[in-house]
Amino acid sequence: MGRQNYYRQILQILERLRKAHPIYNIGRHISTALDGYDDVWGVTDKEFLFALEKYELELNMDVDHIDQEEIDEIIKDGMNLERTLFEEEEE
């Protein structure tokens, strides 16, 4: 596969990411996709494409937590974790 084809595929993925996740900027997508790569300057187009494909799949599998009540309950439970664990030990 030619270098130009990798480039086009990279742009297509970035466009899909922009449409699917408009609140994330391009820097966030690229930075997160390349997290773990020590030498970003040495990443080939093929490696970059693979990283973006993997990132896109992982991001699409992630579940959005839109319900603020659910988030508040998780935070509340986390703050009371010691008491919750103590109550479970008594039972």
Side-chain angles (χ1 to χ4, degrees):
M1 192 175 296
R3 185 173 188 203
Q4 189 66 19
N5 198 6
Y6 291 132
Y7 189 82
R8 283 193 184 118
Q9 289 180 307
I10 289 167
L11 293 177
Q12 289 171 352
I13 291 174
L14 289 172
E15 184 63 28
R16 284 196 308 264
L17 288 168
R18 184 184 66 80
K19 288 179 182 176
H21 308 280
I23 61 171
Y24 298 167
N25 63 39
I26 192 170
R28 181 175 181 171
H29 290 306
I30 292 171
S31 177
T32 306
L34 293 177
D35 186 41
Y37 283 81
D38 294 330
D39 180 20
V40 177
W41 289 97
V43 173
T44 66
D45 291 352
K46 184 177 181 179
E47 290 172 318
F48 185 38
L49 175 61
F50 173 77
L52 278 174
E53 288 172 334
K54 182 180 172 194
Y55 166 71
E56 182 181 32
L57 287 172
E58 291 171 353
L59 191 58
N60 289 337
M61 288 181 0
D62 195 17
V63 178
D64 290 335
H65 294 281
I66 299 173
D67 185 8
Q68 186 61 41
E69 289 178 18
E70 180 183 358
I71 294 171
D72 291 341
E73 187 66 29
I74 292 169
I75 292 170
K76 180 181 162 194
D77 289 346
M79 294 174 75
N80 296 319
L81 190 57
E82 186 175 308
R83 183 172 28 159
T84 303
L85 291 174
F86 182 71
E87 289 172 357
E88 287 179 3
E89 286 179 1
E90 289 181 345
E91 293 176 359

